Amino acid sequence: MNEGRLTLKSIAGYCIEEALWKLAIDIASELQEKKCYAAGIDPDMVVIDNDEFHLVPKDNVMPEFCAPEGLASETATVWSLGALLCYASSGHLIFGGSGSLYQSKHSSVKLPVLQKKHSSLTPIVQRCLANSPEKRISLDELVIEARKGLELCKKRTRSKSNAKVEKEHPVTTSLDERWPEEMIDSTI
């Protein structure tokens, strides 16, 4: 199987936003190229090779990552990608670990919201996870939107480096400057 390979399962919950956009682009593009659709894709099927994500076949897919309709199709694959993005972001299975089974029984359930640091992906993920297949984003749209998201992510101002912060706000070394109150001995 995938022994010795780094999979999405290994990094779930520790992904940066850029990696999530890249995951969406790489997997959706690979599926488009191969014209290969599934009822579901689970984290063990997503292998990480340097800075790219690839799919590897697997006989049994975790049911939590299979679309509500349970049939292999583009829309089912899109649903599964949404579930993978949620899992990669948080490290948790959607709908309390029940996946599409819960969504099937509760069609009006609120769709997951990604954690604040990944909130820019929430609209895409929710479009992937729509209960009705007709309301889901297509793989083509997903790739286009994910590329836009990745570009915006890369353009966002990164936090200032420590050197720049120190230059703008020098650290004082004088004890008097760091502790302005007078120190007195209370044992006298």
Side-chain angles (χ1 to χ4, degrees):
M1 245 175 89
N2 293 330
E3 290 182 34
R5 293 173 123 174
L6 185 62
T7 65
L8 186 59
K9 191 173 190 175
S10 307
I11 65 167
Y14 300 100
C15 292
I16 60 173
E17 181 186 351
E18 193 172 322
L20 296 175
W21 288 118
K22 189 82 168 89
L23 169 65
I25 293 165
D26 290 352
I27 299 303
S29 295
E30 187 173 327
L31 290 164
Q32 280 181 307
E33 186 180 300
K34 293 180 179 178
K35 302 238 184 279
C36 177
Y37 306 122
I41 304 165
D42 75 37
D44 286 329
M45 296 170 69
V46 180
V47 175
I48 302 153
D49 183 21
N50 293 318
D51 65 346
E52 294 182 357
F53 296 90
H54 300 283
L55 282 175
V56 292
K58 182 181 166 194
D59 291 334
N60 298 317
V61 177
M62 293 172 61
E64 296 87 353
F65 293 94
C66 292
E69 59 271 22
L71 302 171
S73 65
E74 179 181 350
T75 57
T77 302
V78 166
W79 188 96
S80 191
L81 274 169
L84 282 173
L85 288 166
C86 285
Y87 180 72
S89 171
S90 68
H92 301 287
L93 300 172
I94 61 170
F95 303 123
S98 297
S100 65
L101 179 62
Y102 186 85
Q103 190 179 26
S104 295
K105 292 179 180 178
H106 305 90
S107 59
S108 62
V109 67
K110 289 190 180 207
L111 295 174
V113 174
L114 300 186
Q115 54 186 308
K116 187 176 180 179
K117 65 183 178 180
H118 301 146
S119 63
S120 61
L121 284 108
T122 295
I124 295 285
V125 167
Q126 289 183 342
R127 289 183 65 199
C128 289
L129 293 172
N131 190 42
S132 173
E134 301 81 40
K135 292 183 179 178
R136 291 184 201 141
I137 190 171
S138 70
L139 279 176
D140 289 336
E141 279 182 285
L142 180 58
V143 171
I144 291 166
E145 293 301 317
R147 284 192 175 130
K148 288 178 190 174
L150 180 60
E151 286 307 309
L152 285 173
C153 177
K154 287 180 176 182
K155 287 180 184 176
R156 263 189 234 119
T157 308
R158 304 283 183 199
S159 61
K160 296 178 182 179
S161 72
N162 287 340
K164 191 172 182 180
V165 170
E166 272 188 39
K167 188 176 182 180
E168 292 174 5
H169 306 285
V171 177
T172 58
T173 54
S174 164
L175 183 59
D176 291 336
E177 288 178 41
R178 287 187 289 159
W179 198 280
E181 292 94 12
E182 184 181 349
M183 302 293 254
I184 54 173
D185 187 357
S186 63
T187 58
I188 301 178

